[in-house]
């Protein structure tokens, strides 16, 4: 049977056509039926809207409120869900309908066709209802078309099974100390998820880490690498942006201990994901690490300190933003060349920074031997100069263009004359 008889035939039983709606939604559709029969088509659509909104609220609650809250955090409008409310109306009284719709769409609880239909009804509520003088009044065909779309793409879609929803599966993450066997079960569950479910779990886990409450924080840190492995690059970037937000706006940290920024940074380091932090904030991180390396280099008998500072720097990865390239590499080269008495093992620790350079970066680096005072100053003694020459000569095999090789030879000659 089609949706059309529901609108034009008052004898049709609503729940024979819409077997998955509840009594409240059936009453709204019955109201739409009567209004349609009286040719109040715009009012008929308003009743259908009310039925659809109630249906969405039920689906979100079945799927998991925590996940919905997670995906609507950045939305404009009211979004304060009251878990203590006894009825759906009470629980959702401080949530805007458009925020509900946006969150349900992101969670894939709302088919895109149904979402567009609701957007159209909302537009009609604001521009084509009897309350607004308009040349675009709601016509009979408008109401029929939209109710047909909503029947197939919303009302006919089952309520998520609470026992199999993403939220219910991960509810133990929030509430109990998970054993190794329990963690392995959840790891396998994560591995079975498709992209949208991974996106939802990703956001859910970030919220748990931001709050920093136990046992959720510890469980999430153990499980997050498996979510990370399946996430797309666009999703991964949200982790770096979250950290960036806490750096720029410390007041955005609403956790009880105000430690969200530190937790996110620890997670980024553990995942070797510092490269996903926006350039400006990442440059600040690398500059601070380079400053620690410089301080260690200038400490008497500080080779152990150099090595510790070098391990701190390499822990960030080799993704140095171009704006901080010279400031960081001047300190790397400074400890690499050592001093009059010798050098620490920092050059072996920092080797990935050199191995990761592409041709353009190699050329920029060797130019520093002419222009950077910090590097030139370090080459005043024989031993650092010898180490520098060996360092430069190693680039010969990594350059292909003869003009680039000549640049390198010129720099080597310049260093020998210092």
């Amino acid at each position: 049977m089609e949706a059309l008889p529901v609108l034009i035939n008052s004898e049709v039983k609503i729940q024979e056509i819409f077997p998955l709606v509840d009594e409240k939604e059936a009453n709204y559709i019955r109201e739409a039926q009567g209004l349609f029969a009286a040719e109040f088509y715009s009012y008929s659509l308003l009743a259908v809207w009310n039925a659809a909104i109630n249906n969405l609220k039920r689906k979100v609650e079945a799927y998991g409120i925590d996940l919905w809250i997670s995906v609507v955090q950045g939305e404009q409008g009211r979004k304060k869900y009251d878990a203590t409310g006894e009825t759906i109306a009470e629980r959702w009284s401080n949530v805007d309908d458009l925020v509900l719709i946006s969150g349900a769409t992101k969670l894939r609880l709302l088919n895109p066709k149904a979402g567009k239909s609701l957007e159209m009804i909302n537009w009609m509520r604001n521009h084509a209802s009897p309350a607004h003088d308009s040349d675009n009044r709601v016509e009979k065909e408008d109401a029929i078309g939209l109710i047909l779309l909503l029947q197939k793409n919303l009302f006919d879609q089952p309520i998520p099974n609470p026992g199999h929803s993403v939220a219910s599966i991960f509810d133990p993450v929030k509430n109990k100390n998970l054993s190794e066997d329990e963690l392995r079960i959840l790891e396998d569950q994560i591995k079975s998820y498709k992209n949208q479910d991974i996106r939802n779990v990703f956001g859910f886990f970030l919220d748990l880490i931001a709050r920093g409450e136990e046992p959720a924080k510890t469980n999430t840190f153990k499980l997050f690498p498996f979510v990370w492995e399946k996430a797309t690059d666009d999703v991964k970037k949200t982790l770096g942006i979250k950290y960036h937000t806490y750096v720029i706006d410390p007041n955005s940290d609403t956790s009880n201990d105000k430690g969200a920024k530190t937790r996110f940074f620890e997670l980024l380091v553990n995942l070797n994901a510092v490269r996903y932090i926006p350039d400006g904030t990442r440059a600040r991180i690398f500059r601070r690490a380079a400053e620690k390396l410089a301080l260690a280099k200038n400490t008497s008998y500080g080779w152990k300190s150099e090595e510790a500072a070098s391990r701190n720097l390499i822990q960030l990865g080799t993704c140095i933003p171009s704006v901080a390239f010279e400031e960081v590499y001047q300190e790397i080269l400074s400890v690499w060349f050592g001093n009059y008495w010798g050098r620490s093992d920092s050059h072996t620790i920092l080797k990935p920074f050199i191995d990761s350079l592409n041709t353009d970066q190699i050329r920029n680096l060797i130019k520093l031997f002419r222009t950077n005072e910090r590097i030139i100053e370090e080459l005043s003694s024989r031993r650092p100069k010898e180490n520098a020459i060996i360092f430069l000569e190693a680039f010969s095999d990594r350059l292909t263009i003869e003009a680039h090789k000549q640049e390198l030879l010129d720099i080597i000659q310049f260093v020998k004359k210092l």
Side-chain angles (χ1 to χ4, degrees):
M1 298 177 72
E2 298 291 345
L4 183 57
V6 175
L7 294 176
I8 66 175
N9 187 350
S10 60
E11 295 180 1
V12 173
K13 292 182 179 180
I14 300 298
Q15 279 157 321
E16 288 183 1
I17 307 299
F18 297 97
L20 300 179
V21 302
D22 68 3
E23 185 59 33
K24 186 175 183 180
E25 291 155 24
N27 287 337
Y28 279 130
I29 296 173
R30 197 172 290 115
E31 179 184 336
Q33 187 182 59
L35 291 165
F36 185 92
E39 298 185 1
F40 294 124
Y41 304 122
S42 59
Y43 288 120
S44 177
L45 279 184
L46 291 180
V48 172
W49 168 274
N50 290 333
I53 292 299
N54 191 79
N55 188 270
L56 275 183
K57 290 173 180 176
R58 291 197 298 126
K59 285 176 176 171
V60 169
E61 289 186 344
Y63 187 77
I65 284 296
D66 284 336
L67 283 172
W68 179 85
I69 292 172
S70 172
V71 300
V72 301
Q73 283 187 359
E75 297 289 333
Q76 297 296 318
R78 297 181 306 152
K79 45 184 176 282
K80 189 175 182 181
Y81 177 84
D82 182 5
T84 63
E86 294 184 2
T87 65
I88 281 185
E90 289 177 359
R91 293 191 291 273
W92 292 90
S93 61
N94 287 313
V95 176
D96 290 337
D97 289 344
L98 293 182
V99 176
L100 164 67
I101 291 169
S102 175
T105 301
K106 289 178 179 177
L107 292 174
R108 289 192 310 169
L109 299 175
L110 183 61
N111 181 294
K113 292 181 190 176
K116 290 299 181 183
S117 300
L118 289 174
E119 287 180 18
M120 178 63 73
I121 294 175
N122 185 58
W123 182 88
M124 289 179 174
R125 289 167 69 203
N126 295 322
H127 298 91
S129 73
H132 300 85
D133 186 23
S134 172
D135 295 327
N136 301 300
R137 305 302 297 275
V138 177
E139 304 293 343
K140 178 180 179 179
E141 292 77 12
D142 299 327
I144 292 173
L146 288 168
I147 189 67
L148 282 169
L149 280 167
L150 288 176
Q151 178 193 3
K152 182 176 182 180
N153 297 292
L154 177 62
F155 295 119
D156 283 354
Q157 301 304 310
I159 298 293
N161 186 334
H164 294 87
S165 75
V166 172
S168 65
I169 288 172
F170 286 97
D171 190 60
V173 174
K174 296 192 302 179
N175 300 317
K176 63 175 293 188
N177 293 306
L178 297 173
S179 67
E180 290 301 316
D181 284 343
E182 290 167 330
L183 286 168
R184 276 194 291 272
I185 291 171
L186 292 177
E187 289 168 13
D188 289 337
Q189 187 67 40
I190 291 168
K191 291 175 183 177
S192 73
Y193 281 148
K194 296 182 179 179
N195 285 346
Q196 184 58 48
D197 289 328
I198 288 295
R199 181 185 293 271
N200 295 339
V201 175
F202 195 99
F204 177 54
F205 277 10
L206 290 191
D207 287 345
L208 294 181
I209 292 170
R211 293 175 203 166
E213 298 169 357
E214 294 290 3
K217 189 200 83 169
T218 297
N219 291 334
T220 304
F221 262 82
K222 291 178 180 178
L223 290 170
F224 202 88
F226 301 96
V227 181
W228 182 261
E229 184 179 346
K230 294 210 64 179
T232 64
D233 255 20
D234 284 343
V235 173
K236 289 177 178 180
K237 288 175 184 176
T238 61
L239 175 57
I241 292 170
K242 278 272 193 180
Y243 174 76
H244 168 79
T245 300
Y246 289 128
V247 172
I248 298 299
D249 180 17
N251 291 329
S252 63
D253 183 357
T254 58
S255 62
N256 291 331
D257 64 355
K258 301 299 179 184
K261 182 179 77 171
T262 299
R263 286 189 289 275
F264 273 90
F265 187 65
E266 290 172 346
L267 185 61
L268 284 158
V269 170
N270 287 342
L271 295 169
N272 191 26
V274 171
R275 65 185 180 278
Y276 289 100
I277 299 173
D279 281 4
T281 301
R282 184 155 38 96
R284 177 178 182 240
I285 293 169
F286 272 101
R287 286 188 182 113
R288 289 187 171 182
E291 288 169 4
K292 292 179 180 179
L293 187 58
L295 181 63
K297 173 64 190 290
N298 294 329
T299 300
S300 299
Y301 305 101
W303 285 0
K304 292 298 181 185
S305 297
E306 278 186 18
E307 291 165 9
S310 297
R311 284 191 289 271
N312 176 68
L313 180 57
I314 195 61
Q315 195 174 31
L316 303 176
T318 60
C319 51
I320 301 171
S322 58
V323 293
F325 183 89
E326 181 169 352
E327 295 164 84
V328 176
Y329 271 95
Q330 70 179 18
E331 304 308 333
I332 291 174
L333 296 184
S334 176
V335 299
W336 190 290
F337 302 148
N339 57 31
Y340 176 84
W341 294 276
R343 60 178 176 175
S344 67
D345 287 332
S346 291
H347 63 286
T348 58
I349 298 169
L350 297 172
K351 191 172 183 293
F353 283 107
I354 308 304
D355 293 341
S356 65
L357 294 172
N358 60 36
T359 298
D360 289 338
Q361 291 170 327
I362 290 173
R363 294 180 65 203
N364 288 335
L365 183 67
I366 64 177
K367 288 175 183 176
L368 298 182
F369 285 79
R370 284 186 186 273
T371 61
N372 187 280
E373 294 182 3
R374 170 81 163 140
I375 294 173
I376 294 172
E377 180 183 348
E378 294 296 327
L379 302 180
S380 58
S381 297
R382 176 185 58 82
R383 190 168 292 175
K385 185 187 296 187
E386 290 174 350
N387 289 332
I389 292 169
I390 294 171
F391 173 86
L392 288 167
E393 288 174 341
F395 284 123
S396 180
D397 293 335
R398 294 176 60 181
L399 296 174
T400 302
I401 306 300
E402 285 300 323
H404 299 166
K405 291 187 176 186
Q406 188 58 51
E407 285 178 353
L408 176 61
L409 291 174
D410 291 344
I411 293 293
I412 292 173
Q413 292 303 315
F414 175 81
V415 171
K416 287 180 177 179
K417 293 176 181 178
L418 288 175

